[in-house]
Amino acid sequence: MYKELLNCVLLGLLLASCDGVKPRISVACEENKVGNCIVKWETTPAIEGDVKVYASTDPENIPEDEPVATAPIAHQWMTVVTDDPTRRYYFSLVFADKYRVRTAARNVIIPGIQNFRDLGGYPAYETRKRVRWGMLYRSAAIDSPDECAVRELQNIGIKTIVDFRSADEAGRQGAWSKKFHRVQIPIPVDELKEIPEAVRMGKVKSDTVYRVVERVNRELMRKYKHEFRRVFDVLLEPENYPVVLHCSSGNGRTGIVSALVLSALGVNPEIIMEDYRLSNEYLDIPSSSRYAYRLPAPSQEAITTMLTAREGFLNAAREEVEQMYGDIDTYLREGLELSRKDIRNLQRILLVSME
């Protein structure tokens, strides 16, 4: 749990104290299986006193009337028990009645849906802003969710579901999909679907799968600029929010699109990579690859490799962009034809000032 929470670390606010020292406050929050949240924090330097937690279902309006939990700062963690586990809560942590940090659980537990998490809270340093909580989510496949899962999606306010799978991958969608604005933007990865069988037939060696995934990611950046632009078109319409982006595992195509969006918002590459790697914590790979148990061991290994969020996979996409356009910003402007006004509008929708 501690490792998972460290991977979710949100950089805290740097606020001056009375003696001129600016403490750095790092906060991590994770939802547990019963709907409560475990919050951990570190302060540098140490701060005396208590941390008070205030909660609200509105991420931008968290009244500080009565704390829902209090603990000594020195304890460095607490469990926050919320009134209604079916609703999503956002928190304001006040350290020593002076320093404030807003946070929420990075992960959102929804029955039958894996790797569902909020892209909020990440800092955009150059603008002194952060990504809004509760606006943009990423996920593994949302396929035939039961009534409970649909209700959970509605509880957190989801309006638009963007699916990057092809029609063959997605299959027929039931009546549940009519409760949301579902946008299908197919970004096929047919070569990856063929890998397990190719390994079994001896056409592909298991140790070359890594390079195949890298090659596919490079091709995505070259071939699907139009599709990536369509995603931004969806995100540039305020009435579409909250939005969830998803593919099959939530770490391949969804990982690349999430990285592009966070880049457009001014989030630095290190944090983008940290977010990408979180799929390794929130995607249950054994469950997702259960269908491969009957396959030979090399095929199982190949599938596990494809489902793992490895830095080299995302780096391959970034390197292809740099080779074509020099940097991500130029790719967004020239490759996806996003104007500076488009970028400013996206930032206006998805960024908010740091407290």
Side-chain angles (χ1 to χ4, degrees), residues 2 4 21 37 90 95 147 150 152 200 240 248 265 274 294 308 327 329 335 341 346:
Y2 186 68
E4 293 177 0
V21 176
C37 291
Y90 305 88
F95 293 80
E147 290 183 10
V150 171
E152 290 290 335
R200 189 183 70 83
N240 286 332
S248 54
L265 296 175
E274 194 72 25
R294 294 187 299 272
T308 303
D327 56 44
D329 290 342
K341 182 179 179 181
L346 186 71

Side-chain angles (χ1 to χ4, degrees), residues 30-41:
E30 179 166 310
E31 182 180 345
N32 63 21
K33 293 182 179 180
V34 295
N36 298 322
C37 291
I38 299 172
V39 183
K40 292 193 175 187
W41 60 84

Side-chain angles (χ1 to χ4, degrees), residues 133-153:
W133 287 103
M135 289 284 279
L136 186 60
Y137 297 86
R138 54 177 295 179
S139 171
I142 302 176
D143 256 340
S144 302
D146 60 21
E147 290 183 10
C148 180
V150 171
R151 188 164 54 249
E152 290 290 335
L153 291 170

Side-chain angles (χ1 to χ4, degrees), residues 299-311:
S299 296
Q300 295 182 34
E301 181 182 347
I303 292 171
T304 298
T305 297
M306 290 188 296
L307 291 174
T308 303
R310 303 198 182 191
E311 289 190 20

Side-chain angles (χ1 to χ4, degrees), residues 102-323:
R102 288 196 177 182
T103 190
R106 175 69 57 203
N107 65 316
V108 183
I109 297 177
I110 299 179
I113 302 176
Q114 291 198 51
N115 204 11
F116 198 108
R117 58 189 200 263
D118 197 328
L119 285 171
Y122 291 128
Y125 289 110
E126 291 185 4
T127 59
R128 293 287 298 168
K129 295 183 177 183
R130 60 169 173 82
V131 183
R132 292 180 187 269
W133 287 103
M135 289 284 279
L136 186 60
Y137 297 86
R138 54 177 295 179
S139 171
I142 302 176
D143 256 340
S144 302
D146 60 21
E147 290 183 10
C148 180
V150 171
R151 188 164 54 249
E152 290 290 335
L153 291 170
Q154 292 175 321
N155 285 344
I156 64 175
I158 296 298
K159 290 183 180 178
T160 303
I161 298 175
V162 182
D163 189 346
F164 301 128
R165 298 173 301 168
S166 65
D168 288 343
E169 286 181 275
R172 294 183 60 185
Q173 300 299 310
W176 71 270
S177 62
K178 295 185 171 115
K179 298 181 180 180
F180 306 92
H181 176 210
R182 185 172 175 273
V183 181
Q184 193 162 12
I185 305 178
I187 303 176
V189 286
D190 294 336
E191 186 175 2
L192 296 185
K193 291 193 299 181
E194 297 170 358
I195 283 180
E197 179 64 15
V199 171
R200 189 183 70 83
M201 298 293 294
K203 297 178 181 178
V204 175
K205 299 295 183 182
S206 60
D207 60 355
T208 66
V209 172
Y210 188 100
R211 293 192 291 276
V212 172
V213 178
E214 288 185 325
R215 184 176 70 248
V216 168
N217 284 355
R218 293 189 184 98
E219 291 175 352
L220 293 182
M221 309 316 291
R222 292 195 305 270
K223 293 182 178 180
Y224 295 102
K225 295 192 287 289
H226 173 71
E227 285 75 10
F228 294 149
R229 172 57 200 249
R230 284 186 59 199
V231 178
F232 280 93
D233 289 339
V234 172
L235 299 181
L236 283 166
E237 296 295 336
E239 64 270 18
N240 286 332
Y241 289 90
V243 177
V244 57
L245 312 171
H246 82 97
C247 57
S248 54
S249 64
N251 64 353
R253 291 159 285 185
T254 300
I256 287 175
V257 172
S258 298
L260 288 174
V261 174
L262 292 176
S263 295
L265 296 175
V267 177
N268 74 40
E270 291 77 16
I271 293 176
I272 291 173
M273 183 61 76
E274 194 72 25
D275 175 77
Y276 175 75
R277 287 196 301 260
L278 284 178
S279 286
N280 296 328
E281 305 293 335
Y282 297 126
L283 178 66
D284 184 349
I285 292 178
S287 174
S288 298
S289 60
R290 187 179 298 126
Y291 69 93
Y293 287 172
R294 294 187 299 272
L295 298 177
S299 296
Q300 295 182 34
E301 181 182 347
I303 292 171
T304 298
T305 297
M306 290 188 296
L307 291 174
T308 303
R310 303 198 182 191
E311 289 190 20
F313 297 164
L314 188 60
N315 283 335
R318 176 184 55 78
E319 290 164 3
E320 186 65 26
V321 163
E322 292 173 349
Q323 183 176 353

Side-chain angles (χ1 to χ4, degrees), residues 26-77:
S26 299
V27 177
C29 180
E30 179 166 310
E31 182 180 345
N32 63 21
K33 293 182 179 180
V34 295
N36 298 322
C37 291
I38 299 172
V39 183
K40 292 193 175 187
W41 60 84
E42 292 182 358
T43 67
T44 307
I47 303 173
E48 300 293 329
D50 292 335
V51 56
K52 299 175 183 177
V53 180
Y54 301 89
S56 173
T57 56
D58 182 349
E60 306 307 332
N61 181 24
I62 307 178
E64 295 182 2
D65 301 326
E66 186 71 27
V68 297
T70 303
I73 296 174
H75 284 187
Q76 296 190 310
W77 77 279

Side-chain angles (χ1 to χ4, degrees), residues 12-32:
L13 306 178
L14 299 180
L15 301 174
S17 65
C18 59
D19 61 1
V21 176
K22 295 181 179 181
R24 173 174 174 170
I25 303 174
S26 299
V27 177
C29 180
E30 179 166 310
E31 182 180 345
N32 63 21

